Amino acid sequence: MSDCIIIGGGVIGMMSARTLAMSGASVRLIDQRACGKESSWAGGGIISPLYPWMYSDMVNELSMASQVVYEELCATLLEETGIDTEYVRSGLLMMDEYDRYEAIDWMAVHKVHAEKHPKGTLFTDVAQVRNPRLLRALKADILKRGVEIVEFTKVDELIVENNTVLGVKTENKAYYADNTVICGGAWSSELLEAKNEMYPVKGQMIVIRSKPDTLAHIVLDKGRYLIPRKDGRILIGSTTENVGFDRSLSDEVGLELLRFATERFPELQGASIEHHWSGFRPASKSGVVIKKDEKLDGLFINTGHLRNGLNMAPESAKRIAELIKKC
Ligand SMILES: Cc1cc2nc3c(=O)[nH]c(=O)nc-3n(C[C@H](O)[C@H](O)[C@H](O)COP(=O)(O)OP(=O)(O)OC[C@H]3O[C@@H](n4cnc5c(N)ncnc54)[C@H](O)[C@@H]3O)c2cc1C
């Protein structure tokens, strides 16, 4: 396979780089920061959409195909890099009353196991990964596979001649390749003609410390969730805010997330916020975008994963690699 430049080293860019490198492509990945420090780091790592029955078939197809390979992928990453992504099928307990039956129907159609739980409905197969570790593992893995990573280098523009993308320009250097893949997350449309096609949806999240196994499952209620990690930390998220690229944190939101947790689990009372952060989910007017550009040859786009980029990444990477191979 031919040369590829990947713009963006989040989960989508690094997973795409891995898949392309494994199929024999020579890959260079460029990020304006260090890899894996934006949305993919900020996320919760739930390997399923929340309320999947509310999402499009495309999202569910990408997610389900990814869920099938995630466990083995994480095992391979552990073997190859020594980094444990803490993939675990912790199950998801949905406490919402209103659509419990709709959920169970959906799960029956899709043959996903759900069972009654004293506090709601338990989706036993839902897994999670510790996403900052997944990103570290992916970076180590693609380096081993020969991907060249260029960090702290912003791609300013595409190099286009005769309706063909020949590569990218950065402040100091131009890079050339047969194929260029935009995996720039919420920033992706800066490089495209349609400047407003993709945009950020901010999410704030907090983490508290508790004893390991205080919560047995991920818990979901009214759009908010708790994700218990192996070491006792519990992530509590998250907001959805249309405020552009504003990273600011609101104390009020932090306390509201903490209250969400303690109201449902009084044993968490007394816990304090260890860390509070925000990230920019990549939204796109047309939903998930995995395609060859309609106008420019040599240009591919893999973005718009919004709330589900971590769980859709493996299949999204596979599909973009297949598209590149066909061209
Ligand atoms: C609070 C929160 C909770 C979430 N929880 C979950 C969850 O539980 N499960 C789930 O599946 N998803 C979750 N998500 C969504 C998920 O994190 C995103 O869908 C996913 O990370 C998107 O990955 P990405 O690689 O496209 O974007 P990013 O991780 O943002 O990566 C894009 C990269 O491109 C780089 N870049 C952009 N423009 C340029 C340029 N011009 N030149 C060079 N580099 C550039 C950026 O620096 C960045 O590193 C959550 C998101 C948030 C914010």
Side-chain angles (χ1 to χ4, degrees):
M1 214 204 245
S2 46
D3 295 1
C4 298
I5 290 173
I6 294 188
I7 306 167
V11 72
I12 299 299
M14 288 202 282
M15 203 77 87
S16 301
R18 182 174 189 269
T19 308
L20 285 162
M22 285 170 76
S23 56
S26 143
V27 183
R28 175 178 282 132
L29 182 148
I30 307 177
D31 200 294
Q32 60 194 1
R33 298 185 64 190
C35 289
K37 295 295 176 200
E38 291 288 359
S39 187
S40 305
W41 180 91
I46 303 172
I47 304 302
S48 166
L50 303 173
Y51 312 108
W53 47 95
M54 291 181 175
Y55 282 93
S56 66
D57 289 346
M58 168 82 163
V59 167
N60 279 305
E61 257 176 48
L62 289 166
S63 180
M64 284 177 174
S66 298
Q67 286 171 39
V68 172
V69 300
Y70 238 109
E71 185 166 13
E72 198 183 322
L73 168 71
C74 291
T76 307
L77 288 173
L78 175 60
E79 224 171 86
E80 297 284 332
T81 69
I83 299 169
D84 183 359
T85 60
E86 292 187 10
Y87 174 94
V88 57
R89 245 173 245 218
S90 48
L92 182 146
L93 169 61
M94 196 189 75
M95 294 175 77
D96 300 85
E97 287 286 340
Y98 62 93
D99 54 4
R100 193 185 290 183
Y101 295 104
E102 191 189 344
I104 291 172
D105 284 352
W106 190 91
M107 293 290 160
V109 170
H110 291 86
K111 299 193 170 39
V112 174
H113 188 62
E115 56 190 48
K116 279 194 180 142
H117 182 280
K119 289 191 170 178
T121 308
L122 179 62
F123 300 104
T124 46
D125 291 334
V126 174
Q128 57 162 297
V129 285
R130 202 149 170 174
N131 39 305
R133 293 184 186 201
L134 172 70
L135 296 163
R136 275 202 282 127
L138 278 174
K139 185 174 172 184
D141 183 82
I142 60 176
L143 280 170
K144 266 179 91 173
R145 292 181 193 278
V147 172
E148 186 192 329
I149 298 182
V150 183
E151 293 186 308
F152 302 103
T153 302
K154 182 174 195 252
V155 170
D156 292 321
E157 58 182 290
L158 305 173
I159 301 168
V160 184
E161 252 179 55
N162 299 327
N163 290 328
T164 303
V165 173
L166 302 178
V168 301
K169 256 190 213 158
T170 69
E171 194 185 356
N172 299 317
K173 211 170 160 182
Y175 294 94
Y176 294 88
D178 300 321
N179 307 294
T180 298
V181 192
I182 299 182
C183 302
W187 296 265
S188 294
S189 46
E190 285 176 11
L191 294 165
L192 295 167
E193 222 177 281
K195 297 287 177 222
N196 299 321
E197 172 61 22
M198 284 128 200
Y199 55 95
V201 175
K202 176 176 162 182
Q204 294 187 53
M205 182 112 94
I206 61 168
V207 64
I208 59 173
R209 262 181 194 262
S210 184
K211 287 198 199 93
D213 302 321
T214 305
L215 298 182
H217 314 290
I218 299 165
V219 177
L220 174 64
D221 193 15
K222 300 184 179 58
R224 299 272 196 254
Y225 50 79
L226 296 109
I227 310 171
R229 299 297 201 210
K230 212 167 150 185
D231 62 5
R233 286 190 168 88
I234 299 174
L235 275 67
I236 309 163
S238 60
T239 58
T240 49
E241 303 169 53
N242 283 302
V243 293
F245 288 104
D246 167 9
R247 288 186 195 270
S248 64
L249 302 173
S250 148
D251 290 345
E252 209 176 294
V253 166
L255 291 174
E256 187 247 294
L257 291 171
L258 185 59
R259 212 165 36 244
F260 165 81
T262 54
E263 275 171 10
R264 281 154 188 81
F265 299 94
E267 59 270 42
L268 297 176
Q269 261 158 22
S272 56
I273 298 174
E274 186 182 57
H275 189 40
H276 180 181
W277 65 90
S278 67
F280 300 121
R281 304 179 185 95
S284 155
K285 285 184 184 155
S286 43
V288 191
V289 182
I290 303 174
K291 65 173 188 184
K292 180 193 170 301
D293 190 75
E294 290 89 357
K295 289 192 187 151
L296 299 172
D297 285 336
L299 181 64
F300 298 82
I301 303 164
N302 190 1
T303 191
H305 297 78
L306 194 60
R307 302 193 80 164
N308 294 300
L310 289 156
N311 72 70
M312 296 195 284
E315 181 66 13
S316 304
K318 186 176 155 209
R319 291 198 185 182
I320 204 75
E322 283 167 359
L323 279 177
I324 293 170
K325 213 170 179 178
K326 266 198 231 152
C327 292

